């Protein structure tokens, strides 16, 4: 779905999918407890002692601005964010 959104130039949706993938991965690694009514602030709090907490905080901040704030992203910005998310996924998986 991320690639599909990127290809259709719906960068806000792509960032949303990337953020959801991060949440799913953190939940699978038992670093957070994901639930339907959870907030980003709760997840940041749960992850506060993890070495990737600052990266997750940055990515969540960008997601909040893009998704909830309605800020448009350029293709270049979206590609950079995708690289940042991919680095985060790799760091959490290792």
């Amino acid at each position: 779905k991320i690639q599909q959104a990127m290809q259709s130039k719906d960068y806000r949706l792509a960032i949303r999918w990337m953020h959801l993938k991060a949440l799913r991965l953190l939940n699978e690694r038992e670093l957070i407890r994901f639930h339907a009514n959870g907030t980003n602030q709760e997840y940041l709090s749960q992850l506060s002692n993890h070495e990737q907490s600052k990266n997750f905080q940055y990515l969540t901040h960008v997601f909040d601005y893009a998704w909830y704030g309605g800020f448009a992203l350029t293709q270049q910005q979206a590609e950079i964010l995708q690289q940042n998310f991919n680095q985060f996924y790799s760091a959490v998986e290792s």
Side-chain angles (χ1 to χ4, degrees):
K1 293 190 181 226
I2 294 169
Q3 290 306 321
Q4 187 178 27
M6 290 291 284
Q7 289 172 355
S8 66
K9 300 186 186 301
D10 191 346
Y11 303 125
R12 285 181 62 234
L13 182 60
I15 297 302
R16 178 171 173 78
W17 286 119
M18 290 178 216
H19 190 259
L20 287 171
K21 180 178 177 178
L23 292 174
R24 190 193 79 221
L25 179 62
L26 291 169
N27 186 66
E28 287 172 359
R29 298 283 187 241
E30 297 182 355
L31 297 171
I32 65 167
R33 279 173 269 127
F34 180 79
H35 54 91
N37 296 322
T39 66
N40 287 334
Q41 201 59 39
E42 287 177 57
Y43 301 134
L44 287 167
S45 178
Q46 290 176 34
L47 197 62
S48 65
N49 293 326
H50 191 273
E51 63 187 36
Q52 288 298 316
S53 66
K54 293 289 184 200
N55 290 333
F56 183 66
Q57 183 177 14
Y58 167 74
L59 295 171
T60 297
H61 183 73
V62 170
F63 162 71
D64 285 343
Y65 270 95
W67 188 252
Y68 297 113
F71 289 94
L73 297 166
T74 66
Q75 180 177 351
Q76 182 181 14
Q77 290 169 324
E79 289 172 354
I80 290 169
L81 286 169
Q82 186 172 29
Q83 290 173 2
N84 290 338
F85 270 102
N86 286 337
Q87 289 171 351
F88 177 78
Y89 305 147
S90 294
V92 170
E93 289 178 327
S94 60

